[in-house]
Amino acid sequence: MNALEKKTAAGPIVEARNVSLSFGSVKALQDVSVTVAPGEITALVGDNGAGKSTLVRCFSGVHRPQSGEVLLDGRPVAFSSPEAARSAGIETVHQNLALVEDLTVWQNLFLNRELTRFGMLDRRRMKAEAQKMVSELAVNVPEVTSRVRRLSGGQRQAVSICRAAGFSSRLVIMDEPTAALGVQETARVEELILRLRDEGHAVLLISHNFDQVVRLSQQVWVMRAGRCVAGRRTDATTGQEIVGLITGAIAA
Amino acid sequence: MSTAATGTPAGPTASKATPPANRGGAGHAVASRLRDVGFWADWAALVGLIVLVAVFTALEPSFLSSGNVTGMLSASAALVILAVAQTFVVATAGIDLSIASVTTLGIVVLGQLYAGGQSLGVAFAGAVLAGLLAGLLNGFLVAKAGITDFVVTLGMLSAASGLALVLSDGQPVTVTESFFFDISLDGPVEMVTWIVVIAAVIAVVAHVVLFHTRFGTHVLATGGSPEAATATGISTARVKVAVYAVAGLLAGIAAIIIVARLGSTPPAANTAYLLNSVAAVVLGGVSLFGGKASILGPVFGALLLTVLLNGLTTLGVSQYYQPLSVGVVVVAAAFLMRFQK
Ligand SMILES: Nc1ncnc2c1ncn2[C@@H]1O[C@H](COP(=O)(O)OP(=O)(O)OP(=O)(O)O)[C@@H](O)[C@H]1O
Ligand SMILES: [Mg+2]
């Protein structure tokens, strides 16, 4: 992972340029162009089915655009798999929580990033480091040896976020990370998002919570029915304007 | 034990929920575990094995004679290996219906090479290679061609047993080699023959692979949640090819052990090995939906089935009741699994 070395000064870390993607007759993305700047929290908003998750899945290697391109540090990339995106430093907290229920917390945290010694799993070290990762998030997470099946929705979310934040990623994508969380957990996750940014990660945040978007982000992209209809600097917009852009009451 | 889930603010240390059972001392903990039906589901095969041995010994004291124990352990060796093989496939939420036929293919390849004047080593290698190739083909068809495991391995069941009949022309080959007597009758210690040692070594290696290597974790992740595995970058297709290949390879090894015990190479597939391998896996508490597995469980399951059949024979129960009894035991075990943790 040489992800952290090549940090270009000004340009976006990740960019979608005229990306289109259809599932059969459903045009999930049409000619979408957005940028994610380094060191910033970029928000992606839009109604249900607007195409937000589909767009970020193009960044995390799950989908490949049918036309248009994804650029990493200004260079076109075609992630052939989620592994390729992860090795390039893009970690994702998926909306549907990509955790394996029958595995333990520490196994999930280190899934496909297992530490080994002499070819064997270094279970002790993974457990210890998992404990560290989890306690840094300081959300109510039970022991790292418990199975994910026994965790509450919020606890699972915390584990997903831990995993995404844990591996010296350059860009952390979070697809509605606080949707299932209580008040306290939401506050902690928001703290974590800010901390990730302060530590130099770029964050791409999907959220339906406009207060949260205004509180955390520096840039907002608005999607409607598969198109990116507007982009605003957060300090130059308001919650009302964003709502108007999402519903189409305000023309972009 | 989800006391930490109630939303009260708790630091990392306070959030380490202690199961209430641990507070009442060891005796209390044991008692509460024994009341937990999930515990019995997890250890169904071992408990069933102990109960069966106790019952058969009570009814027929010679059941535990050294000769009979030696025989039962040797008889279980091939099934233990096939149960381990099936476990890897089932852990990915697949199933290998071709396992007994591929074993027979291995047996026949061994026999034909031997009859053709090849050395025993070459004949063994041929059996293992035949199993491996059949397994790889299964894996590619399931993972890359996207055909359902059930259909692929059902096709292989037919194809492999057909090929075995074609290659052997339906005739068994008698293999009289002192080496076979050495491994199937002698052993390092009393009652344990070398083929039992081979099966035990395979089980231990399988356990290490499943629980102490990256590959094993990826097998469980592939079975537990293919989406999650894929999202973290695991190639579930590659994992699937690998588990079917492992199953085929182990079927080839089981073929050698069966020939060693029989001294000949029967060309007709022994379908009991298919049913019993799946039965052992179910008895061992492995989820047919994938993601949850153990090696020890299916090994005990295989031993239990062998003991069951041997015990019924010892008691003079008609052969015809044996499949019936296996069916009852397996369905009962599957019922118990519903209470699994
Ligand atoms: N794998 C898929 N197969 C078929 N259609 C899909 C698939 N994924 C998404 N879609 C469709 O693409 C459109 C965009 O979906 P997407 O999940 O990106 O929306 P979203 O903006 O994330 O919505 P939400 O806020 O509800 O999460 C929807 O119409 C959805 O039905
Ligand atoms: Mg979504």
Side-chain angles (χ1 to χ4, degrees):
Chain A
M1 256 194 285
N2 57 350
L4 283 167
E5 309 170 356
K6 41 177 180 193
K7 195 156 185 174
T8 45
I13 280 197
V14 170
E15 180 177 355
R17 216 175 261 174
N18 309 110
V19 164
S20 298
L21 179 61
S22 308
F23 298 104
S25 61
V26 179
K27 290 180 177 158
L29 297 175
Q30 296 180 65
D31 211 17
V32 173
S33 298
V34 301
T35 58
V36 178
E40 284 192 358
I41 299 170
T42 303
L44 190 58
V45 297
D47 265 336
N48 294 129
K52 307 179 296 295
S53 295
T54 307
L55 178 62
V56 299
R57 287 195 195 114
C58 292
F59 293 147
S60 53
V62 177
H63 295 321
R64 268 160 293 292
Q66 281 153 350
S67 67
E69 52 190 8
V70 172
L71 295 92
L72 181 69
D73 295 318
R75 279 187 300 274
V77 283
F79 295 130
S80 57
S81 70
E83 176 58 33
R86 287 187 85 190
S87 334
I90 300 178
E91 292 281 346
T92 309
V93 179
H94 286 281
Q95 186 170 19
N96 48 5
L97 303 180
L99 299 177
V100 183
E101 299 214 325
D102 284 319
L103 294 182
T104 61
V105 170
W106 68 266
Q107 284 174 312
N108 270 284
L109 285 173
F110 282 94
L111 196 54
N112 206 25
R113 287 287 181 277
E114 295 88 354
L115 307 174
T116 55
R117 267 179 88 206
F118 312 117
M120 295 285 127
L121 293 181
D122 193 346
R123 298 168 77 103
R124 187 160 4 138
R125 192 149 70 92
M126 283 192 280
K127 279 180 206 170
E129 292 200 7
Q131 190 63 55
K132 230 187 304 170
M133 286 160 82
V134 164
S135 58
E136 265 178 34
L137 184 59
V139 175
N140 280 331
V141 173
E143 286 176 82
V144 293
T145 49
S146 37
R147 290 187 194 281
V148 166
R149 183 178 293 287
R150 310 195 134 203
L151 268 51
S152 75
Q155 292 172 322
R156 288 170 199 221
Q157 192 66 271
V159 173
S160 290
I161 294 171
C162 265
R163 181 167 68 191
F167 293 98
S168 62
S169 41
R170 302 184 58 202
L171 170 64
V172 179
I173 298 173
M174 298 196 185
D175 197 346
E176 303 189 27
T178 57
L181 300 190
V183 179
Q184 303 218 22
E185 282 77 7
T186 299
R188 290 221 178 85
V189 168
E190 288 187 5
E191 266 168 42
L192 178 86
I193 293 173
L194 290 171
R195 199 164 82 216
L196 283 174
R197 182 198 54 193
D198 296 342
E199 285 169 0
H201 302 259
V203 177
L204 177 56
L205 171 71
I206 297 181
S207 177
H208 288 290
N209 179 337
F210 302 119
D211 289 340
Q212 183 177 65
V213 167
V214 170
R215 236 180 0 253
L216 299 179
S217 71
Q218 283 73 58
Q219 169 76 30
V220 189
W221 297 102
V222 183
M223 292 192 67
R224 192 193 319 139
R227 294 179 182 278
C228 179
V229 292
R232 295 280 186 277
R233 295 304 291 177
T234 309
D235 51 21
T237 188
T238 60
Q240 275 112 327
E241 191 191 13
I242 295 174
V243 174
L245 288 166
I246 288 173
T247 57
I250 302 176
Chain B
M1 54 179 280
S2 52
T3 49
T6 44
T8 43
T13 43
S15 68
K16 281 187 185 175
T18 323
N22 286 358
R23 297 200 190 110
H28 184 87
V30 168
S32 85
R33 282 202 78 178
L34 293 181
R35 271 198 303 276
D36 178 6
V37 69
F39 168 84
W40 293 101
D42 278 346
W43 293 100
L46 180 58
V47 173
L49 179 62
I50 293 170
V51 168
L52 277 186
V53 168
V55 168
F56 285 134
T57 311
L59 293 173
E60 176 57 67
S62 73
F63 181 74
L64 271 189
S65 70
S66 123
N68 201 37
V69 171
T70 312
M72 282 193 290
L73 285 176
S74 294
S76 69
L79 184 56
V80 164
I81 294 172
L82 293 178
V84 167
Q86 193 68 269
T87 300
F88 273 90
V89 178
V90 170
T92 65
I95 189 142
D96 188 352
L97 299 176
S98 70
I99 201 154
S101 305
V102 170
T103 304
T104 299
L105 180 63
I107 289 174
V108 163
V109 167
L110 194 166
Q112 293 306 303
L113 287 172
Y114 182 81
Q118 298 291 340
S119 70
L120 217 46
V122 171
F124 286 1
V128 173
L129 200 64
L132 179 63
L133 288 177
L136 275 173
L137 186 57
N138 274 338
F140 273 108
L141 290 174
V142 169
K144 308 278 183 182
I147 310 174
T148 322
D149 45 24
F150 197 84
V151 174
V152 168
T153 58
L154 196 61
M156 181 60 80
L157 181 159
S158 186
S161 49
L163 188 58
L165 289 173
V166 170
L167 287 177
S168 64
D169 204 16
Q171 299 302 315
V173 174
T174 308
V175 186
T176 41
E177 285 280 334
S178 61
F179 175 73
F180 280 162
F181 296 119
D182 291 344
I183 65 168
S184 64
L185 296 176
D186 291 342
V189 291
E190 176 99 23
M191 294 192 277
V192 178
T193 58
W194 286 112
I195 59 174
V196 173
V197 173
I198 294 171
V201 168
I202 286 173
V204 169
V205 170
H207 178 91
V208 170
V209 168
L210 197 52
F211 297 108
H212 294 274
T213 68
R214 298 188 67 195
F215 172 69
T217 308
H218 295 182
V219 166
L220 295 172
T222 298
S225 168
E227 303 81 26
T230 307
T232 58
I234 293 170
S235 166
T236 54
R238 235 187 304 182
V239 169
K240 283 195 174 162
V241 172
V243 292
Y244 284 98
V246 166
L249 179 101
L250 290 177
I253 296 176
I256 298 172
I257 284 185
I258 291 170
V259 176
R261 288 193 68 233
L262 296 178
S264 86
T265 63
N270 183 351
T271 49
Y273 278 123
L274 165 59
L275 300 177
N276 288 354
S277 73
V278 177
V281 166
V282 172
L283 282 167
V286 175
S287 163
L288 289 177
F289 300 112
K292 279 194 83 177
S294 109
I295 295 294
L296 209 55
V299 167
F300 284 132
L303 291 173
L304 184 154
L305 291 169
T306 312
V307 164
L308 178 65
L309 298 183
N310 180 290
L312 292 176
T313 312
T314 312
L315 295 181
V317 176
S318 157
Q319 289 258 324
Y320 299 152
Y321 284 97
Q322 296 189 353
L324 181 65
S325 61
V326 171
V328 169
V329 166
V330 170
V331 173
F335 179 74
L336 198 55
M337 289 316 145
R338 294 181 47 207
F339 301 102
Q340 207 174 28
K341 282 171 250 184

